[in-house]
Amino acid sequence: MTYENGTPHTVESIRQALWENDAEPKGPARTHRAEELVALAETAGDRQLLLDALLDLISAYQFSSESGKTLVPFSRLLRMWDENPGDFSGPALHRLHWRFKWIIYSLTGNPDIPLDAIRRWLPDMERHYRIAGYSLRPVRSAEFYLAQHLGDDALAARLLEEWTGADRDRMSDCLACELNEQGEWHADHADDERALATWAPVLNGEQSCAEQPHLILALSLVPLLRLGRFDEARRNHLRGYRLARGNGSLVPALARHIEFCALTGNEARGLEILAEHAAYLDNDGEPLSRLEILSAAALLLRRLVELGHADRPVPLPGGITVTAEQLLARTREAADGLARRFDERNATDRVGTRVAARMAGTPFTDRLPLGVRGARLAPGSVARPKPAPESAPESTPESAPESAPVAAEAGSEDLAALLAEARRLTLAQHPDARAAWRAVAETAERTGTGLDASASAEVTYHAAVDALDDPDTAVSLFRRAAEQFEAAGDLGEGAAGRARAAYTTAVSGRTEEGLAELDALCGQLRALHADGRATARQLTGALLAAARVRRGTLPSAPDPDAAAEALAEELRAVLRLAEEHRTEDRRMRSRIADTSCLLGGLLAGRGDAPQAAELFARAVELYHEAAAPWFAAEAEARLAELSLALGRPEQAEKAARAALDHGAELLEPLGRAHLHLILAEALAASGQDDNEVAGHALEATHWADEAAGSEALAAWARLVLGGALLRLRRFDEAASVLESALPDLQEHHQEGQVVQARWWLGECLDALGDHRQASEQFLLAADIAKGWDGQRDHAVLAHLAGDALNGAGLNEQAAAAYARAEELWRGLGRPHNAARAVRAQAWLALRDAGRGLPAARDLMATAEQLLTEAVAEPADDDSHAMLRTALAGTYRQTGELLVRGCASEPGDEDDDGTARHAYEEALGYAEKAITVLAPLGETGRHDRTGAQLMAAWLEADLGRNSAADTRARAVLDDYGDEDGSDPDATAERRRAEARALLDYIG
């Protein structure tokens, strides 16, 4: 007998080890242990034990990345069958034939197995199935798989009919797995609608198994993209990747998710998935699965190289890092070589053709937001033009006379027309004005046409605006433009140009120098304005520029509050001046709006949100009056933000929608993200459609991810998105989003947001049946909340953790969590909540063999006492009703607990009358529930009739059919002939139960 760690191995200990290993997660550790146990079983001299160990090893191989190794242990099992069929009991015989199917797939997926050898296994499989009396449905399925792999479509189509037409029996694959292959056949032949219809029972949750819907979710991605159903594809990616992640038996599904990312503009996420599963690129345990991930990786890496990320580092196992371009060469060569081996074995080009088509795939869209956290491909995003009010004190010279629109197409040689169009757009304050002036400059240079002094000054001025990324160049150009304006006799425009140069100097790091120059120019412009040689717009532009610079100096001022108040007065003076000259120029309305925005921002920063909101609302009106709605976008965005903070979600929604309508394309990604997030929060706060909330939150995550340094905003957007998806009961999507949000929430946000994310994530996981992971999230959130002043959240989370631990079967831990919740609820003066926690402990005690019914009854008595005392205390009507309902519920649960604690029913081997006594006592508790609910009238009707029906069933079980009949008819009379308008249909359910009881007692 073999020894390990000094302990002898017996048949019993090896068998125990087999059971324990079978419960372990699928993966290399389980597979390695299964190999060890086969070796131990060989030395034990027990053929039945060896048979079981070999079957366990085949399962371990099959549900890992090493399914190609199943042939050796399976061949050995067949030899054992041939030598002595009697060794195979019923379950072992079933397991042997079940694994026969796996062998065909494993052989097909290995190019080193000759095709003739695979074909020889198929008749052998059919022979074994016929002898055992099984349906040939799995045989036809295996034959179909081989024909499909070889590209023999005519044969595959015939076999598909024979397969689906054969009888199902215990040897048939589960329906979910069969639908997987059938739908894949239709998708491979471009019949995407039929494929999705075939997969619908799995995608809708009607059918599932250990590997479904994992595989079908992945298979559905490209068909959905081809049909333009992008939102469904996004959902299936989020649902499916979470299920497949890290699972070695689902490498083909992982490959589909990588392919999806490459085809939807999500190359960064695809690269993360690839890096996490890069070990499968070199794993030769399952060649066909390896080919899937190699070809998907080659597609992704090709896209990265095409997008200019050839040097992007990709981490590989073993601490190795290569560039995307280097890994592309490796994966493409490996995929081509492996595909060639299959085609040489198969004597067809089917595999190579499919692999080449996948690697050459082109995106269906360059942008499909996913909502989950992902690395950015580039250090920055493409710059978008930004409206003038927040980026510049004066962006449009006004020396040009008003002119009518003149058509001038791009590339036109008509310089006069181009100049007129540029001036028209400038006077209209249109964002396209800058491009129009570039066209003027380029055409003048190309044609050698000279411009007059004013036009030359305007061209130079706008060249300076275009050069703002290089402040020194911009300052030089602004000053040259000023000189040109002055040479043309326009002193006001010259001074305004110098003011713009001074402002650029100030905001580029030389604040004192620029501000001193600005103040001097403001004095100069005041004098020019008094003499009629400068306009009010030129003067207020310089004054506003100086105010902007001063605002930036407030934090470093000796007395920031006094400086802020002085600046506010300065801005109010600018407003008065601008209002005095409002009618001089339509653009003066924009100037008043600009000043209102600056003052509003200042007041908002000082805590005067209501006044700030009024100023931004006024600015919005003025921008629209000036026929410049694109400038209104930022004011509308600020108004939306302030309205949300002031608890005015409807006003926030209106302003955010307007901002997106008027200027989304002009905003930088971060601003756009902020707007979508404000809109999502406003919609959520006013209880509107969560589908729209999720849509805007999803957009917010996308635009935040586009911007550098926006992790905090992106995390908040994901939190809002996760909450909306949870409310929509899209639990798997919500879980993926919330999991991805947590790292940045923990780094950039307060504890409250982290607790909320873990709370919602726990609810999602609980709804998905992952109770253990749900309990971890609730407990982590509770651990944070225990340090807060208010303990309500702590109590709720402790109770939720108890529920999840209970669902996971962790009774001891669940009891501890419920006890913690009980203590917290008592401290908060919430007896009905504390009673719920005590009742939960009672049910756990009933399941505990060491405590049982006596301990459970004591706990129920504790809950009863808590509520009885609370009912006796003075309370408002609503609280009183709630407490009475809770007490009635405790009575009912006590009765149910007594019945559950019985080993039998009255009359069924109840020799000592224990069961009858328990049922009589339970009936007494039901009567108590009815009595305590009676004073509540209509409010307690549903609870009262529920207790009445409980009493009726107990009467029936005790053989008192007349009393049961009376109680059931009383329930029917209580509801009468109501039309079923009860929103939760409780009345109809009560009536149905009463009728069922009457039928039962005859």
Side-chain angles (χ1 to χ4, degrees):
M1 183 64 63
T2 304
Y3 286 74
E4 185 176 77
N5 297 328
T7 303
H9 283 291
T10 63
V11 170
E12 291 73 19
S13 68
I14 297 172
R15 190 170 298 284
Q16 178 66 33
L18 284 172
W19 289 335
E20 292 172 355
N21 194 48
D22 187 57
E24 290 298 311
K26 303 176 181 69
R30 175 181 170 182
T31 302
H32 179 67
R33 182 59 173 160
E35 292 171 335
E36 291 179 338
L37 292 173
V38 168
L40 289 173
E42 288 174 332
T43 67
D46 187 312
R47 285 177 60 85
Q48 188 65 49
L49 178 65
L50 178 59
L51 185 155
D52 289 340
L54 288 168
L55 287 168
D56 183 69
L57 178 59
I58 292 171
S59 295
Y61 281 147
Q62 188 63 33
F63 293 103
S64 73
S65 60
E66 300 180 282
S67 59
K69 295 183 178 181
T70 55
L71 181 59
V72 172
F74 185 76
S75 298
R76 188 172 180 184
L77 278 172
L78 283 184
R79 286 198 301 273
M80 292 174 69
W81 162 262
D82 292 336
E83 293 168 1
N84 191 1
D87 288 342
F88 288 76
S89 63
L93 187 62
H94 179 274
R95 292 171 71 190
L96 175 69
H97 284 80
W98 188 268
R99 282 150 182 76
F100 218 130
K101 299 180 293 182
W102 297 353
I103 296 303
I104 303 302
Y105 291 95
S106 296
L107 295 176
T108 303
N110 188 340
D112 295 329
I113 304 296
L115 192 58
D116 289 343
I118 303 172
R119 286 174 169 154
R120 283 196 299 270
W121 276 87
L122 288 166
D124 197 32
M125 180 182 180
E126 181 168 341
R127 178 175 63 83
H128 277 82
Y129 271 59
R130 287 186 184 279
I131 292 172
Y134 292 124
S135 167
L136 297 183
R137 186 181 180 96
V139 179
R140 299 295 172 255
S141 172
E143 291 172 338
F144 163 80
Y145 178 78
L146 178 60
Q148 183 187 32
H149 173 75
L150 297 174
D152 190 342
D153 288 349
L155 176 60
R158 178 173 62 78
L159 289 168
L160 178 61
E161 290 185 9
E162 293 182 16
W163 165 23
T164 55
D167 292 336
R168 289 185 58 82
D169 64 5
R170 355 184 352 242
M171 199 53 60
S172 300
D173 281 341
C174 77
L175 184 58
C177 286
E178 288 195 337
L179 295 176
N180 178 99
E181 291 191 50
Q182 293 162 18
E184 188 174 7
W185 163 262
H186 297 310
D188 286 346
H189 290 79
D191 194 347
D192 295 325
E193 292 284 7
R194 189 172 179 185
L196 291 165
T198 301
W199 291 326
V202 178
L203 294 174
N204 295 339
E206 298 168 24
Q207 299 288 334
S208 64
C209 70
E211 294 192 340
Q212 300 295 354
H214 319 38
L215 287 168
I216 285 178
L217 284 167
L219 286 171
S220 71
L221 297 174
V222 169
L224 286 169
L225 291 175
R226 285 197 293 246
L227 292 170
R229 291 156 63 173
F230 290 171
D231 191 52
E232 289 178 67
R234 179 189 62 80
R235 294 182 189 180
N236 287 1
H237 167 65
L238 292 182
R239 291 176 60 197
Y241 178 62
R242 191 170 176 278
L243 294 171
R245 182 180 182 183
N247 191 331
S249 67
L250 296 176
V251 171
L254 294 168
R256 300 272 179 167
H257 288 288
I258 292 171
E259 178 184 26
F260 165 83
C261 291
L263 298 176
T264 57
N266 288 289
E267 292 82 5
R269 176 168 171 82
L271 192 58
E272 290 180 336
I273 296 173
L274 176 60
E276 186 172 351
H277 301 92
Y280 299 125
L281 294 173
D282 296 318
N283 191 315
D284 58 0
E286 175 52 74
L288 200 55
S289 292
R290 182 184 175 221
L291 183 57
E292 289 281 328
I293 197 167
L294 280 170
S295 56
L299 165 63
L300 173 70
L301 294 163
R302 193 204 89 222
R303 287 288 304 146
L304 287 167
V305 171
E306 290 173 349
L307 291 170
H309 301 286
D311 294 331
R312 176 87 177 192
V314 183
L316 298 178
I320 301 170
T321 299
V322 298
T323 67
E325 189 170 36
Q326 290 169 335
L327 189 57
L328 170 59
R330 282 175 48 182
T331 54
R332 182 182 283 159
E333 180 181 3
D336 286 339
L338 190 49
R340 188 163 50 250
R341 287 169 57 198
F342 275 106
D343 285 344
E344 289 172 355
R345 192 270 306 267
N346 299 339
T348 71
D349 64 353
R350 178 60 171 265
V351 175
T353 299
R354 293 180 64 179
V355 166
R358 170 182 269 185
M359 293 193 297
T362 56
F364 292 91
T365 176
D366 60 359
R367 176 183 174 272
L368 180 59
L370 300 178
V372 290
R373 183 175 182 254
R376 298 177 65 249
L377 281 178
S381 54
V382 177
R384 291 175 170 82
K386 197 174 181 183
E390 290 296 321
S391 63
E394 176 65 58
S395 61
T396 53
E398 47 189 76
S399 59
E402 187 101 34
S403 59
V406 178
E409 297 181 358
S412 170
E413 299 297 319
D414 188 345
L415 186 59
L418 289 170
L419 183 59
E421 176 68 1
R423 284 172 169 168
R424 184 186 71 81
L425 292 171
T426 297
L427 291 168
Q429 306 173 95
H430 197 282
D432 290 343
R434 287 169 59 182
W437 282 108
R438 284 195 294 273
V440 170
E442 291 165 3
T443 301
E445 182 177 358
R446 185 175 61 252
T447 61
T449 305
L451 296 170
D452 63 31
S454 291
S456 294
E458 291 172 275
V459 167
T460 304
Y461 182 92
H462 284 92
V465 174
D466 283 340
L468 283 171
D469 287 340
D470 180 357
D472 290 340
T473 300
V475 168
S476 176
L477 287 170
F478 279 130
R479 287 176 176 161
R480 186 192 308 168
E483 292 171 357
Q484 290 172 326
F485 280 125
E486 289 162 352
D490 194 338
L491 299 181
E493 200 64 65
R498 294 185 189 283
R500 185 63 187 269
Y503 174 81
T504 305
T505 298
V507 298
S508 62
R510 293 176 288 170
T511 306
E512 292 184 8
E513 176 188 342
L515 187 55
E517 187 178 355
L518 262 175
D519 286 339
L521 286 163
C522 286
Q524 181 181 338
L525 276 163
R526 284 185 188 279
L528 288 170
H529 180 254
D531 291 343
R533 292 184 294 172
T535 66
R537 190 168 188 275
Q538 291 163 346
L539 171 58
T540 53
L543 293 170
L544 187 56
R548 287 184 191 281
V549 176
R550 250 185 280 282
R551 182 184 176 187
T553 66
L554 292 179
S556 59
D559 186 345
D561 288 338
E565 182 57 39
L567 179 59
E569 284 304 315
E570 181 180 332
L571 287 168
R572 292 186 182 102
V574 176
L575 276 176
R576 289 192 292 272
L577 175 61
E579 286 284 4
E580 290 174 14
H581 299 277
R582 176 176 178 173
T583 59
E584 290 181 7
D585 183 335
R586 186 178 69 183
R587 291 174 297 172
M588 282 302 294
R589 294 178 177 85
S590 295
R591 177 67 72 238
I592 299 168
D594 294 351
T595 311
S596 298
C597 286
L598 188 56
L599 179 57
L602 180 66
L603 294 178
R606 301 184 69 198
D608 190 354
Q611 183 62 34
E614 289 184 18
L615 285 163
F616 281 113
R618 177 61 176 147
V620 169
E621 293 177 4
L622 289 164
Y623 284 129
H624 285 287
E625 287 179 15
W630 41 84
F631 286 155
E634 290 201 10
E636 287 161 338
R638 292 301 307 274
L639 176 59
E641 183 179 24
L642 287 165
S643 299
L644 193 62
L646 289 166
R648 305 168 184 170
E650 291 81 7
Q651 185 177 358
E653 177 196 347
K654 180 180 178 182
R657 288 191 191 280
L660 286 169
D661 288 344
H662 297 140
E665 297 301 325
L666 299 173
L667 296 172
E668 292 181 355
L670 196 59
R672 201 161 178 175
H674 194 54
L675 265 181
H676 280 290
L677 182 54
I678 289 171
L679 182 51
E681 290 191 88
L683 291 167
S686 55
Q688 298 194 46
D689 183 8
D690 279 314
N691 282 296
E692 189 175 6
V693 174
H696 285 290
L698 179 62
E699 284 293 308
T701 66
H702 168 76
W703 290 110
D705 287 341
E706 285 284 299
S710 60
E711 291 80 8
L713 182 64
W716 184 269
R718 290 189 224 289
L719 181 62
V720 174
L721 174 59
L725 292 171
L726 170 62
R727 293 190 294 276
L728 290 167
R729 304 185 64 78
R730 287 156 57 176
F731 302 117
D732 34 19
E733 292 176 70
S736 294
V737 170
L738 292 167
E739 285 170 342
S740 77
L742 270 169
D744 284 331
L745 285 172
Q746 290 172 304
E747 183 175 352
H748 300 288
H749 289 276
Q750 297 178 344
E751 289 180 342
Q753 285 70 50
V754 176
V755 166
Q756 184 65 83
R758 292 199 182 281
W759 189 328
W760 282 343
L761 178 56
E763 290 183 1
C764 292
L765 294 170
D766 208 38
L768 293 169
D770 194 348
H771 304 299
R772 184 185 291 266
Q773 292 296 322
S775 68
E776 288 184 13
Q777 294 301 325
F778 289 137
L779 289 170
L780 286 168
D783 197 48
I784 297 172
K786 72 181 181 182
W788 296 352
D789 291 338
Q791 288 292 286
R792 183 184 177 280
D793 287 341
H794 185 195
V796 174
L797 286 162
H799 203 122
L800 288 171
D803 291 342
L805 289 163
N806 190 2
L810 300 172
N811 296 349
E812 186 176 344
Q813 295 93 319
Y818 285 134
R820 182 181 180 185
E822 176 197 349
E823 180 183 359
L824 290 165
W825 287 126
R826 284 176 181 267
L828 289 165
R830 304 288 289 272
H832 62 291
N833 294 111
R836 282 182 57 234
V838 175
R839 292 197 303 257
Q841 293 174 71
W843 286 106
L844 287 171
L846 184 65
R847 297 206 299 262
D848 187 338
R851 302 174 69 200
L853 185 59
R857 291 201 62 170
D858 287 345
L859 285 162
M860 282 295 185
T862 299
E864 179 184 334
Q865 182 181 357
L866 259 173
L867 292 166
T868 301
E869 292 173 355
V871 168
E873 294 290 330
D876 60 59
D877 290 345
D878 289 342
S879 297
H880 194 259
M882 177 184 64
L883 289 167
R884 279 186 168 272
T885 302
L887 178 57
T890 302
Y891 287 140
R892 284 191 60 180
Q893 288 197 38
T894 302
E896 291 167 2
L897 184 142
L898 291 167
V899 170
R900 294 269 190 93
C902 289
S904 60
E905 296 182 8
D908 294 343
E909 301 180 5
D910 184 29
D911 297 336
D912 61 356
T914 301
R916 174 166 288 276
H917 177 74
Y919 275 61
E920 292 280 10
E921 193 174 3
L923 179 59
Y925 276 105
E927 289 280 12
K928 286 183 177 183
I930 295 168
T931 301
V932 80
L933 289 166
L936 300 183
E938 182 67 20
T939 301
R941 180 165 67 155
H942 290 329
D943 290 290
R944 186 179 65 252
T945 54
Q948 187 77 277
L949 286 168
M950 175 185 172
W953 283 109
L954 288 167
E955 300 270 28
D957 288 336
L958 288 165
R960 302 169 187 166
N961 289 356
S962 177
D965 182 282
T966 300
R967 290 183 186 277
R969 294 189 187 282
V971 171
L972 292 174
D973 291 343
D974 205 338
Y975 288 108
D977 297 324
E978 294 179 7
D979 60 3
S981 59
D982 183 18
D984 61 359
T986 303
E988 185 52 42
R989 287 198 300 274
R990 294 283 190 268
R991 282 196 291 258
E993 186 179 353
R995 295 188 194 103
L997 192 151
L998 291 171
D999 290 342
Y1000 174 74
I1001 61 179

